[in-house]
Amino acid sequence: MASGFFALLDDIASIMDDVAAMSKIATKKTAGILGDDLAVNAENASGFASSRELPVLWAITKGSLLNKIIILPIAFLLSAFFPTAIIVILILGGIYLAFEGVEKIFHYFFQKQKTIVDYAQKTLTEVEILKLEKTKVKSAIVTDFILSIEIVIIALGTVLDKPLSVQIIVVSLIALLATVGVYGIVALIVRMDEVGYKLIKMSDKEKSFSAFTGNLLVSALPIIIKSLSVIGTIALLLVAGGIFSHNVSLLHHFLYEIPSFVKDFVLGVGVGIIALLLVTFFNKIIGKKV
């Protein structure tokens, strides 16, 4: 009886060791998506009056949790009964990530940037504000759903050879991190300017430490959001390239002599360019027919 109990404890310890090791690997694999998720949601939650930023972000967070609740059971069922589908979805997700990354670069260099409207500076009625918030929240939740699929599938792809129990624990932890961690950091980022303004108001002298810190926080917010967008774009291409090099046998030994991160970036950009050209071509065909 006692030996059976200790054997059970040993099994649990072994599973937790696997969970810890695989969670670390899965976190590294999904870091690029988490960075892009962070940049997208920081942009979505900013631009409102300070009193509305956190309610908007909380609404998006609840939608993100619901997305994970929908996606996780489907992913585990596929892993248990049709694991090949995980690889297929993983590659399709990699194509989407590569397309998204190259599209962002293309828009930055070859198309005029859209003017970002600061809704906090516009005079809107309460009804208009609520309607605007619902629109942005809905758009953000749809984007989060796509990113959540990618996060879950990439995390699941790292533990496909592990028991289902390990898969469930690891992927669920990553999904929780993707929601609580990302949106927690977004909440801190979008409140930076509010904290900065309060520090400036607290200061009696123009060149005091609190005034300097406050001005630094206010001016740093747009820079941080733009920097996250750039870092997120690069990370998307690296993650996409890594998916192709590890899951497509023809590409596994492509540019084998160069560093892996350079190879992944080249693959990501290459597939992204092809995907962008195909999408543009089909859009033109559809446009001519219409």
PDB file of all heavy atoms in Angstrom, residues 120-151:
ATOM      1  N   ALA A 120      -9.866  60.421 -26.743  1.00  0.00           N
ATOM      2  CA  ALA A 120      -9.953  61.171 -25.492  1.00  0.00           C
ATOM      3  C   ALA A 120     -10.061  62.664 -25.760  1.00  0.00           C
ATOM      4  O   ALA A 120     -10.543  63.425 -24.944  1.00  0.00           O
ATOM      5  CB  ALA A 120      -8.726  60.875 -24.618  1.00  0.00           C
ATOM      6  N   GLN A 121      -9.567  63.111 -26.942  1.00  0.00           N
ATOM      7  CA  GLN A 121      -9.572  64.532 -27.284  1.00  0.00           C
ATOM      8  C   GLN A 121     -10.813  64.934 -28.076  1.00  0.00           C
ATOM      9  O   GLN A 121     -10.991  66.098 -28.391  1.00  0.00           O
ATOM     10  CB  GLN A 121      -8.304  64.874 -28.102  1.00  0.00           C
ATOM     11  CG  GLN A 121      -6.990  64.540 -27.390  1.00  0.00           C
ATOM     12  CD  GLN A 121      -6.830  65.299 -26.095  1.00  0.00           C
ATOM     13  OE1 GLN A 121      -7.215  66.456 -25.999  1.00  0.00           O
ATOM     14  NE2 GLN A 121      -6.283  64.636 -25.083  1.00  0.00           N
ATOM     15  N   LYS A 122     -11.664  63.964 -28.429  1.00  0.00           N
ATOM     16  CA  LYS A 122     -12.861  64.269 -29.203  1.00  0.00           C
ATOM     17  C   LYS A 122     -14.068  64.421 -28.282  1.00  0.00           C
ATOM     18  O   LYS A 122     -14.159  63.774 -27.252  1.00  0.00           O
ATOM     19  CB  LYS A 122     -13.126  63.165 -30.229  1.00  0.00           C
ATOM     20  CG  LYS A 122     -12.067  63.049 -31.302  1.00  0.00           C
ATOM     21  CD  LYS A 122     -12.473  62.048 -32.352  1.00  0.00           C
ATOM     22  CE  LYS A 122     -13.607  62.582 -33.203  1.00  0.00           C
ATOM     23  NZ  LYS A 122     -13.972  61.652 -34.286  1.00  0.00           N
ATOM     24  N   THR A 123     -14.978  65.290 -28.647  1.00  0.00           N
ATOM     25  CA  THR A 123     -16.200  65.475 -27.874  1.00  0.00           C
ATOM     26  C   THR A 123     -17.249  64.493 -28.381  1.00  0.00           C
ATOM     27  O   THR A 123     -17.812  64.678 -29.458  1.00  0.00           O
ATOM     28  CB  THR A 123     -16.719  66.925 -28.014  1.00  0.00           C
ATOM     29  OG1 THR A 123     -15.686  67.828 -27.635  1.00  0.00           O
ATOM     30  CG2 THR A 123     -17.938  67.135 -27.144  1.00  0.00           C
ATOM     31  N   LEU A 124     -17.505  63.470 -27.593  1.00  0.00           N
ATOM     32  CA  LEU A 124     -18.451  62.433 -27.972  1.00  0.00           C
ATOM     33  C   LEU A 124     -19.526  62.311 -26.902  1.00  0.00           C
ATOM     34  O   LEU A 124     -19.275  62.533 -25.715  1.00  0.00           O
ATOM     35  CB  LEU A 124     -17.747  61.087 -28.143  1.00  0.00           C
ATOM     36  CG  LEU A 124     -16.634  61.001 -29.198  1.00  0.00           C
ATOM     37  CD1 LEU A 124     -15.955  59.642 -29.107  1.00  0.00           C
ATOM     38  CD2 LEU A 124     -17.169  61.219 -30.589  1.00  0.00           C
ATOM     39  N   THR A 125     -20.720  61.939 -27.341  1.00  0.00           N
ATOM     40  CA  THR A 125     -21.780  61.673 -26.381  1.00  0.00           C
ATOM     41  C   THR A 125     -21.530  60.327 -25.722  1.00  0.00           C
ATOM     42  O   THR A 125     -20.722  59.522 -26.194  1.00  0.00           O
ATOM     43  CB  THR A 125     -23.152  61.648 -27.083  1.00  0.00           C
ATOM     44  OG1 THR A 125     -23.179  60.542 -28.001  1.00  0.00           O
ATOM     45  CG2 THR A 125     -23.397  62.949 -27.841  1.00  0.00           C
ATOM     46  N   GLU A 126     -22.243  60.062 -24.615  1.00  0.00           N
ATOM     47  CA  GLU A 126     -22.064  58.790 -23.913  1.00  0.00           C
ATOM     48  C   GLU A 126     -22.433  57.614 -24.794  1.00  0.00           C
ATOM     49  O   GLU A 126     -21.767  56.569 -24.774  1.00  0.00           O
ATOM     50  CB  GLU A 126     -22.923  58.787 -22.648  1.00  0.00           C
ATOM     51  CG  GLU A 126     -22.706  57.564 -21.771  1.00  0.00           C
ATOM     52  CD  GLU A 126     -23.505  57.616 -20.488  1.00  0.00           C
ATOM     53  OE1 GLU A 126     -24.076  58.681 -20.192  1.00  0.00           O
ATOM     54  OE2 GLU A 126     -23.558  56.583 -19.797  1.00  0.00           O
ATOM     55  N   VAL A 127     -23.491  57.774 -25.609  1.00  0.00           N
ATOM     56  CA  VAL A 127     -23.922  56.712 -26.520  1.00  0.00           C
ATOM     57  C   VAL A 127     -22.838  56.432 -27.560  1.00  0.00           C
ATOM     58  O   VAL A 127     -22.535  55.280 -27.874  1.00  0.00           O
ATOM     59  CB  VAL A 127     -25.245  57.086 -27.214  1.00  0.00           C
ATOM     60  CG1 VAL A 127     -25.613  56.041 -28.262  1.00  0.00           C
ATOM     61  CG2 VAL A 127     -26.360  57.230 -26.196  1.00  0.00           C
ATOM     62  N   GLU A 128     -22.221  57.507 -28.107  1.00  0.00           N
ATOM     63  CA  GLU A 128     -21.166  57.357 -29.113  1.00  0.00           C
ATOM     64  C   GLU A 128     -19.937  56.674 -28.521  1.00  0.00           C
ATOM     65  O   GLU A 128     -19.295  55.845 -29.176  1.00  0.00           O
ATOM     66  CB  GLU A 128     -20.794  58.725 -29.688  1.00  0.00           C
ATOM     67  CG  GLU A 128     -21.848  59.316 -30.596  1.00  0.00           C
ATOM     68  CD  GLU A 128     -21.502  60.727 -31.042  1.00  0.00           C
ATOM     69  OE1 GLU A 128     -20.841  61.461 -30.272  1.00  0.00           O
ATOM     70  OE2 GLU A 128     -21.879  61.104 -32.157  1.00  0.00           O
ATOM     71  N   ILE A 129     -19.611  57.029 -27.262  1.00  0.00           N
ATOM     72  CA  ILE A 129     -18.459  56.419 -26.592  1.00  0.00           C
ATOM     73  C   ILE A 129     -18.671  54.920 -26.405  1.00  0.00           C
ATOM     74  O   ILE A 129     -17.795  54.101 -26.682  1.00  0.00           O
ATOM     75  CB  ILE A 129     -18.201  57.096 -25.229  1.00  0.00           C
ATOM     76  CG1 ILE A 129     -17.686  58.527 -25.435  1.00  0.00           C
ATOM     77  CG2 ILE A 129     -17.184  56.299 -24.411  1.00  0.00           C
ATOM     78  CD1 ILE A 129     -17.570  59.313 -24.157  1.00  0.00           C
ATOM     79  N   LEU A 130     -19.872  54.545 -25.946  1.00  0.00           N
ATOM     80  CA  LEU A 130     -20.181  53.134 -25.731  1.00  0.00           C
ATOM     81  C   LEU A 130     -20.175  52.355 -27.040  1.00  0.00           C
ATOM     82  O   LEU A 130     -19.694  51.216 -27.098  1.00  0.00           O
ATOM     83  CB  LEU A 130     -21.539  52.989 -25.033  1.00  0.00           C
ATOM     84  CG  LEU A 130     -21.598  53.463 -23.575  1.00  0.00           C
ATOM     85  CD1 LEU A 130     -23.021  53.386 -23.055  1.00  0.00           C
ATOM     86  CD2 LEU A 130     -20.658  52.652 -22.701  1.00  0.00           C
ATOM     87  N   LYS A 131     -20.706  52.979 -28.105  1.00  0.00           N
ATOM     88  CA  LYS A 131     -20.715  52.322 -29.413  1.00  0.00           C
ATOM     89  C   LYS A 131     -19.290  52.122 -29.922  1.00  0.00           C
ATOM     90  O   LYS A 131     -18.952  51.061 -30.473  1.00  0.00           O
ATOM     91  CB  LYS A 131     -21.520  53.172 -30.403  1.00  0.00           C
ATOM     92  CG  LYS A 131     -21.687  52.526 -31.775  1.00  0.00           C
ATOM     93  CD  LYS A 131     -22.538  53.386 -32.689  1.00  0.00           C
ATOM     94  CE  LYS A 131     -22.692  52.732 -34.060  1.00  0.00           C
ATOM     95  NZ  LYS A 131     -23.508  53.584 -34.978  1.00  0.00           N
ATOM     96  N   LEU A 132     -18.448  53.139 -29.741  1.00  0.00           N
ATOM     97  CA  LEU A 132     -17.052  53.060 -30.167  1.00  0.00           C
ATOM     98  C   LEU A 132     -16.315  51.975 -29.396  1.00  0.00           C
ATOM     99  O   LEU A 132     -15.544  51.196 -29.958  1.00  0.00           O
ATOM    100  CB  LEU A 132     -16.378  54.416 -29.966  1.00  0.00           C
ATOM    101  CG  LEU A 132     -14.886  54.500 -30.286  1.00  0.00           C
ATOM    102  CD1 LEU A 132     -14.641  54.265 -31.766  1.00  0.00           C
ATOM    103  CD2 LEU A 132     -14.338  55.855 -29.862  1.00  0.00           C
ATOM    104  N   GLU A 133     -16.561  51.929 -28.076  1.00  0.00           N
ATOM    105  CA  GLU A 133     -15.912  50.919 -27.246  1.00  0.00           C
ATOM    106  C   GLU A 133     -16.303  49.507 -27.681  1.00  0.00           C
ATOM    107  O   GLU A 133     -15.455  48.621 -27.779  1.00  0.00           O
ATOM    108  CB  GLU A 133     -16.286  51.132 -25.776  1.00  0.00           C
ATOM    109  CG  GLU A 133     -15.588  52.322 -25.137  1.00  0.00           C
ATOM    110  CD  GLU A 133     -15.916  52.437 -23.667  1.00  0.00           C
ATOM    111  OE1 GLU A 133     -16.610  51.535 -23.137  1.00  0.00           O
ATOM    112  OE2 GLU A 133     -15.491  53.411 -23.034  1.00  0.00           O
ATOM    113  N   LYS A 134     -17.592  49.291 -27.941  1.00  0.00           N
ATOM    114  CA  LYS A 134     -18.064  47.975 -28.367  1.00  0.00           C
ATOM    115  C   LYS A 134     -17.400  47.552 -29.674  1.00  0.00           C
ATOM    116  O   LYS A 134     -17.021  46.395 -29.849  1.00  0.00           O
ATOM    117  CB  LYS A 134     -19.586  47.986 -28.523  1.00  0.00           C
ATOM    118  CG  LYS A 134     -20.342  47.998 -27.201  1.00  0.00           C
ATOM    119  CD  LYS A 134     -21.846  47.979 -27.438  1.00  0.00           C
ATOM    120  CE  LYS A 134     -22.609  47.998 -26.117  1.00  0.00           C
ATOM    121  NZ  LYS A 134     -24.076  48.025 -26.330  1.00  0.00           N
ATOM    122  N   THR A 135     -17.244  48.519 -30.600  1.00  0.00           N
ATOM    123  CA  THR A 135     -16.613  48.226 -31.884  1.00  0.00           C
ATOM    124  C   THR A 135     -15.156  47.819 -31.697  1.00  0.00           C
ATOM    125  O   THR A 135     -14.694  46.821 -32.267  1.00  0.00           O
ATOM    126  CB  THR A 135     -16.692  49.455 -32.814  1.00  0.00           C
ATOM    127  OG1 THR A 135     -18.067  49.808 -33.001  1.00  0.00           O
ATOM    128  CG2 THR A 135     -16.062  49.156 -34.162  1.00  0.00           C
ATOM    129  N   LYS A 136     -14.426  48.578 -30.878  1.00  0.00           N
ATOM    130  CA  LYS A 136     -13.010  48.282 -30.655  1.00  0.00           C
ATOM    131  C   LYS A 136     -12.826  46.976 -29.883  1.00  0.00           C
ATOM    132  O   LYS A 136     -11.918  46.196 -30.169  1.00  0.00           O
ATOM    133  CB  LYS A 136     -12.339  49.438 -29.903  1.00  0.00           C
ATOM    134  CG  LYS A 136     -12.166  50.703 -30.727  1.00  0.00           C
ATOM    135  CD  LYS A 136     -11.075  51.582 -30.175  1.00  0.00           C
ATOM    136  CE  LYS A 136      -9.706  51.026 -30.482  1.00  0.00           C
ATOM    137  NZ  LYS A 136      -8.604  51.913 -30.095  1.00  0.00           N
ATOM    138  N   VAL A 137     -13.706  46.755 -28.900  1.00  0.00           N
ATOM    139  CA  VAL A 137     -13.610  45.523 -28.113  1.00  0.00           C
ATOM    140  C   VAL A 137     -13.881  44.304 -28.993  1.00  0.00           C
ATOM    141  O   VAL A 137     -13.157  43.308 -28.936  1.00  0.00           O
ATOM    142  CB  VAL A 137     -14.599  45.561 -26.926  1.00  0.00           C
ATOM    143  CG1 VAL A 137     -14.728  44.178 -26.285  1.00  0.00           C
ATOM    144  CG2 VAL A 137     -14.140  46.571 -25.883  1.00  0.00           C
ATOM    145  N   LYS A 138     -14.902  44.381 -29.835  1.00  0.00           N
ATOM    146  CA  LYS A 138     -15.240  43.276 -30.733  1.00  0.00           C
ATOM    147  C   LYS A 138     -14.090  42.983 -31.690  1.00  0.00           C
ATOM    148  O   LYS A 138     -13.708  41.825 -31.902  1.00  0.00           O
ATOM    149  CB  LYS A 138     -16.497  43.617 -31.527  1.00  0.00           C
ATOM    150  CG  LYS A 138     -16.988  42.490 -32.421  1.00  0.00           C
ATOM    151  CD  LYS A 138     -18.284  42.875 -33.133  1.00  0.00           C
ATOM    152  CE  LYS A 138     -18.754  41.748 -34.042  1.00  0.00           C
ATOM    153  NZ  LYS A 138     -20.013  42.094 -34.758  1.00  0.00           N
ATOM    154  N   SER A 139     -13.508  44.041 -32.265  1.00  0.00           N
ATOM    155  CA  SER A 139     -12.380  43.877 -33.175  1.00  0.00           C
ATOM    156  C   SER A 139     -11.185  43.255 -32.459  1.00  0.00           C
ATOM    157  O   SER A 139     -10.516  42.362 -32.992  1.00  0.00           O
ATOM    158  CB  SER A 139     -11.996  45.232 -33.777  1.00  0.00           C
ATOM    159  OG  SER A 139     -10.835  45.130 -34.563  1.00  0.00           O
ATOM    160  N   ALA A 140     -10.918  43.728 -31.236  1.00  0.00           N
ATOM    161  CA  ALA A 140      -9.780  43.219 -30.471  1.00  0.00           C
ATOM    162  C   ALA A 140      -9.968  41.748 -30.098  1.00  0.00           C
ATOM    163  O   ALA A 140      -9.018  40.964 -30.119  1.00  0.00           O
ATOM    164  CB  ALA A 140      -9.583  44.055 -29.206  1.00  0.00           C
ATOM    165  N   ILE A 141     -11.201  41.351 -29.765  1.00  0.00           N
ATOM    166  CA  ILE A 141     -11.479  39.964 -29.380  1.00  0.00           C
ATOM    167  C   ILE A 141     -11.332  39.034 -30.583  1.00  0.00           C
ATOM    168  O   ILE A 141     -10.832  37.911 -30.454  1.00  0.00           O
ATOM    169  CB  ILE A 141     -12.884  39.843 -28.750  1.00  0.00           C
ATOM    170  CG1 ILE A 141     -12.891  40.535 -27.383  1.00  0.00           C
ATOM    171  CG2 ILE A 141     -13.283  38.380 -28.588  1.00  0.00           C
ATOM    172  CD1 ILE A 141     -14.257  40.620 -26.736  1.00  0.00           C
ATOM    173  N   VAL A 142     -11.763  39.498 -31.770  1.00  0.00           N
ATOM    174  CA  VAL A 142     -11.596  38.696 -32.990  1.00  0.00           C
ATOM    175  C   VAL A 142     -10.107  38.490 -33.275  1.00  0.00           C
ATOM    176  O   VAL A 142      -9.659  37.379 -33.582  1.00  0.00           O
ATOM    177  CB  VAL A 142     -12.287  39.372 -34.193  1.00  0.00           C
ATOM    178  CG1 VAL A 142     -11.911  38.659 -35.492  1.00  0.00           C
ATOM    179  CG2 VAL A 142     -13.803  39.360 -34.012  1.00  0.00           C
ATOM    180  N   THR A 143      -9.318  39.577 -33.161  1.00  0.00           N
ATOM    181  CA  THR A 143      -7.872  39.477 -33.361  1.00  0.00           C
ATOM    182  C   THR A 143      -7.255  38.530 -32.330  1.00  0.00           C
ATOM    183  O   THR A 143      -6.399  37.707 -32.647  1.00  0.00           O
ATOM    184  CB  THR A 143      -7.211  40.863 -33.247  1.00  0.00           C
ATOM    185  OG1 THR A 143      -7.782  41.736 -34.215  1.00  0.00           O
ATOM    186  CG2 THR A 143      -5.706  40.771 -33.477  1.00  0.00           C
ATOM    187  N   ASP A 144      -7.704  38.664 -31.083  1.00  0.00           N
ATOM    188  CA  ASP A 144      -7.199  37.802 -30.011  1.00  0.00           C
ATOM    189  C   ASP A 144      -7.523  36.334 -30.295  1.00  0.00           C
ATOM    190  O   ASP A 144      -6.722  35.450 -29.980  1.00  0.00           O
ATOM    191  CB  ASP A 144      -7.819  38.220 -28.674  1.00  0.00           C
ATOM    192  CG  ASP A 144      -7.382  37.338 -27.527  1.00  0.00           C
ATOM    193  OD1 ASP A 144      -8.038  36.301 -27.272  1.00  0.00           O
ATOM    194  OD2 ASP A 144      -6.369  37.659 -26.887  1.00  0.00           O
ATOM    195  N   PHE A 145      -8.683  36.070 -30.884  1.00  0.00           N
ATOM    196  CA  PHE A 145      -9.074  34.679 -31.187  1.00  0.00           C
ATOM    197  C   PHE A 145      -8.081  34.050 -32.157  1.00  0.00           C
ATOM    198  O   PHE A 145      -7.646  32.909 -31.967  1.00  0.00           O
ATOM    199  CB  PHE A 145     -10.481  34.656 -31.790  1.00  0.00           C
ATOM    200  CG  PHE A 145     -11.031  33.267 -31.985  1.00  0.00           C
ATOM    201  CD1 PHE A 145     -11.593  32.578 -30.921  1.00  0.00           C
ATOM    202  CD2 PHE A 145     -10.977  32.653 -33.229  1.00  0.00           C
ATOM    203  CE1 PHE A 145     -12.096  31.286 -31.093  1.00  0.00           C
ATOM    204  CE2 PHE A 145     -11.475  31.364 -33.406  1.00  0.00           C
ATOM    205  CZ  PHE A 145     -12.039  30.689 -32.337  1.00  0.00           C
ATOM    206  N   ILE A 146      -7.702  34.810 -33.192  1.00  0.00           N
ATOM    207  CA  ILE A 146      -6.730  34.307 -34.176  1.00  0.00           C
ATOM    208  C   ILE A 146      -5.376  34.075 -33.513  1.00  0.00           C
ATOM    209  O   ILE A 146      -4.742  33.016 -33.684  1.00  0.00           O
ATOM    210  CB  ILE A 146      -6.589  35.294 -35.349  1.00  0.00           C
ATOM    211  CG1 ILE A 146      -7.920  35.416 -36.101  1.00  0.00           C
ATOM    212  CG2 ILE A 146      -5.485  34.844 -36.308  1.00  0.00           C
ATOM    213  CD1 ILE A 146      -7.960  36.519 -37.122  1.00  0.00           C
ATOM    214  N   LEU A 147      -4.924  35.062 -32.723  1.00  0.00           N
ATOM    215  CA  LEU A 147      -3.642  34.927 -32.041  1.00  0.00           C
ATOM    216  C   LEU A 147      -3.685  33.791 -31.018  1.00  0.00           C
ATOM    217  O   LEU A 147      -2.695  33.084 -30.823  1.00  0.00           O
ATOM    218  CB  LEU A 147      -3.277  36.246 -31.352  1.00  0.00           C
ATOM    219  CG  LEU A 147      -2.946  37.418 -32.276  1.00  0.00           C
ATOM    220  CD1 LEU A 147      -2.767  38.704 -31.472  1.00  0.00           C
ATOM    221  CD2 LEU A 147      -1.688  37.139 -33.090  1.00  0.00           C
ATOM    222  N   SER A 148      -4.835  33.603 -30.366  1.00  0.00           N
ATOM    223  CA  SER A 148      -4.967  32.536 -29.371  1.00  0.00           C
ATOM    224  C   SER A 148      -4.849  31.161 -30.012  1.00  0.00           C
ATOM    225  O   SER A 148      -4.234  30.248 -29.437  1.00  0.00           O
ATOM    226  CB  SER A 148      -6.312  32.651 -28.644  1.00  0.00           C
ATOM    227  OG  SER A 148      -6.369  33.831 -27.866  1.00  0.00           O
ATOM    228  N   ILE A 149      -5.434  30.997 -31.201  1.00  0.00           N
ATOM    229  CA  ILE A 149      -5.305  29.733 -31.925  1.00  0.00           C
ATOM    230  C   ILE A 149      -3.830  29.451 -32.195  1.00  0.00           C
ATOM    231  O   ILE A 149      -3.337  28.332 -31.978  1.00  0.00           O
ATOM    232  CB  ILE A 149      -6.090  29.770 -33.248  1.00  0.00           C
ATOM    233  CG1 ILE A 149      -7.598  29.799 -32.982  1.00  0.00           C
ATOM    234  CG2 ILE A 149      -5.750  28.554 -34.121  1.00  0.00           C
ATOM    235  CD1 ILE A 149      -8.443  29.974 -34.225  1.00  0.00           C
ATOM    236  N   GLU A 150      -3.122  30.486 -32.644  1.00  0.00           N
ATOM    237  CA  GLU A 150      -1.699  30.316 -32.953  1.00  0.00           C
ATOM    238  C   GLU A 150      -0.898  29.977 -31.707  1.00  0.00           C
ATOM    239  O   GLU A 150      -0.033  29.093 -31.725  1.00  0.00           O
ATOM    240  CB  GLU A 150      -1.176  31.591 -33.615  1.00  0.00           C
ATOM    241  CG  GLU A 150      -1.799  31.853 -34.985  1.00  0.00           C
ATOM    242  CD  GLU A 150      -1.628  33.288 -35.428  1.00  0.00           C
ATOM    243  OE1 GLU A 150      -1.085  34.078 -34.654  1.00  0.00           O
ATOM    244  OE2 GLU A 150      -2.044  33.609 -36.555  1.00  0.00           O
ATOM    245  N   ILE A 151      -1.185  30.676 -30.600  1.00  0.00           N
ATOM    246  CA  ILE A 151      -0.468  30.431 -29.347  1.00  0.00           C
ATOM    247  C   ILE A 151      -0.698  28.998 -28.871  1.00  0.00           C
ATOM    248  O   ILE A 151       0.244  28.272 -28.513  1.00  0.00           O
ATOM    249  CB  ILE A 151      -0.915  31.434 -28.262  1.00  0.00           C
ATOM    250  CG1 ILE A 151      -0.387  32.838 -28.588  1.00  0.00           C
ATOM    251  CG2 ILE A 151      -0.413  31.005 -26.878  1.00  0.00           C
ATOM    252  CD1 ILE A 151      -1.012  33.935 -27.755  1.00  0.00           C
TER     253      ILE A 151
END
